[in-house]
Amino acid sequence: MKRELITAIPPRELREILRKSGAGVSISVEETEPFHGMPRYRLTIEGAREEIERFMETLRLARAGG
């Protein structure tokens, strides 16, 4: 399965979140067009559906201060 999203989270932080999640997914990060001067990145996540869900939950909690 493959999932893509656009985010302002820097690649270094995304890789740290992936490490902490323990999810068996691979991610690729590409820089995209800035939004009002703020850098944005296209994040592509590949792996099993359950593993992508695990990574996404950790990502949500990390950005919500959880």
Side-chain angles (χ1 to χ4, degrees), residues 50-64:
E50 297 80 22
E51 295 297 310
I52 291 175
E53 296 278 331
R54 177 191 283 181
F55 171 73
M56 292 301 294
E57 182 63 21
T58 305
L59 179 63
R60 282 189 286 274
L61 290 173
R63 297 312 285 177

Side-chain angles (χ1 to χ4, degrees), residues 10-65:
R12 186 177 191 187
E13 189 174 341
L14 288 167
R15 288 185 175 79
E16 181 65 21
I17 292 168
L18 173 61
R19 185 187 65 77
K20 288 180 180 180
S21 75
V25 297
S26 64
I27 63 171
S28 64
V29 183
E30 300 172 14
E31 199 163 330
T32 64
E33 190 174 316
F35 182 72
H36 295 288
M38 183 170 56
R40 295 191 312 169
Y41 305 95
R42 178 181 316 278
L43 174 62
T44 304
I45 311 159
E46 293 186 66
R49 181 176 179 215
E50 297 80 22
E51 295 297 310
I52 291 175
E53 296 278 331
R54 177 191 283 181
F55 171 73
M56 292 301 294
E57 182 63 21
T58 305
L59 179 63
R60 282 189 286 274
L61 290 173
R63 297 312 285 177

Side-chain angles (χ1 to χ4, degrees), residues 2-16:
K2 186 182 200 178
R3 184 162 182 189
E4 292 185 7
L5 59 112
I6 304 290
T7 183
I9 304 170
R12 186 177 191 187
E13 189 174 341
L14 288 167
R15 288 185 175 79
E16 181 65 21

